[in-house]
Amino acid sequence: MRCPWGLSTADYVTYHDEEWGRPVHGDDALFERVSLEAFQSGLSWITILRRRETFRAAFAHFKIAEVAAYTDADRERLLADPGIIRNRAKIDATLANARVLADWSPGELDELIWSHAPDATGRPAPRTVSDVPAITDESTALSKALKKRGLRFVGPTTAYALMQACGLVDDHLWNCVARTPA
């Protein structure tokens, strides 16, 4: 058994089984996830997933220091790149977020994000997809904390998707093969 969304395409099966809901640590790795979740806003995740390698190439594998140093010429290159989502606001947010994060101490993004992980013991495993929330008190708090520190495109829904993708919450259904045993 798998979560129903994880069965629709081979790309989703791999992502569902091997990555979604698994703990992600490291500032660059989390910057990638924050950025990709922002690009996904308003789109299907499969659109982002299928372009992920192109995103990685376009954004220096999401190395914060490198993206923070991008110039106006890099911005124009990104806006013209058909392999990524050429949304000006999302590209600008990604570049701005990298510049903000470049001033943080190493490990600070990781620490901030993981400090918002809810207590897993008080949260029952979802039985159906409709049991999975779009936002939670923790995602709202994470969103506020990220925005307060200067990050953009990190609303509560995006923050919750980030929490799911990076393993802060385990929203695999109760009978899913990928669910972490209690």
Side-chain angles (χ1 to χ4, degrees):
M1 296 292 297
R2 283 187 177 84
C3 300
W5 67 266
L7 296 170
S8 61
T9 70
D11 295 329
Y12 267 158
V13 170
T14 300
Y15 178 70
H16 170 273
D17 289 1
E18 298 174 10
E19 188 172 352
W20 190 76
R22 303 286 185 258
V24 174
H25 287 280
D27 292 342
D28 290 340
L30 289 166
F31 172 58
E32 175 183 2
R33 299 322 195 293
V34 167
S35 301
L36 293 178
E37 293 295 346
F39 274 103
Q40 184 273 329
S41 182
L43 301 170
S44 169
W45 179 246
I46 197 69
T47 301
I48 304 304
L49 193 57
R50 288 182 174 156
R51 296 176 185 211
R52 190 173 189 183
E53 291 308 316
T54 308
F55 271 106
R56 285 175 170 163
F59 286 97
H61 294 273
F62 292 96
K63 292 178 184 145
I64 294 169
E66 290 184 35
V67 178
Y70 274 19
T71 65
D72 286 341
D74 291 308
R75 179 179 177 270
E76 293 307 313
R77 172 185 54 80
L78 294 168
L79 288 168
D81 187 339
I84 66 169
I85 306 303
R86 294 177 289 179
N87 179 297
R88 183 177 310 275
K90 293 175 182 182
I91 289 170
D92 288 346
T94 302
L95 299 179
N97 289 348
R99 291 179 185 119
V100 167
L101 293 170
D103 289 335
W104 291 20
S105 299
E108 197 169 350
L109 177 61
D110 190 298
E111 184 178 326
L112 176 66
I113 288 174
W114 278 91
S115 73
H116 289 83
D119 178 12
T121 59
R123 196 165 186 264
R127 296 195 69 77
T128 68
V129 174
S130 62
D131 293 335
V132 178
I135 61 170
T136 62
D137 291 343
E138 293 87 0
S139 74
T140 300
L142 175 57
S143 170
K144 287 180 182 177
L146 292 169
K147 287 178 181 181
K148 182 177 180 181
R149 300 287 308 271
L151 273 69
R152 297 169 24 195
F153 259 93
V154 287
T157 303
T158 298
Y160 193 69
L162 173 72
M163 294 171 82
Q164 291 173 304
C166 294
L168 280 75
V169 296
D170 185 353
D171 276 343
H172 287 285
L173 299 184
W174 70 279
N175 60 348
C176 177
V177 299
R179 183 158 182 88
T180 304

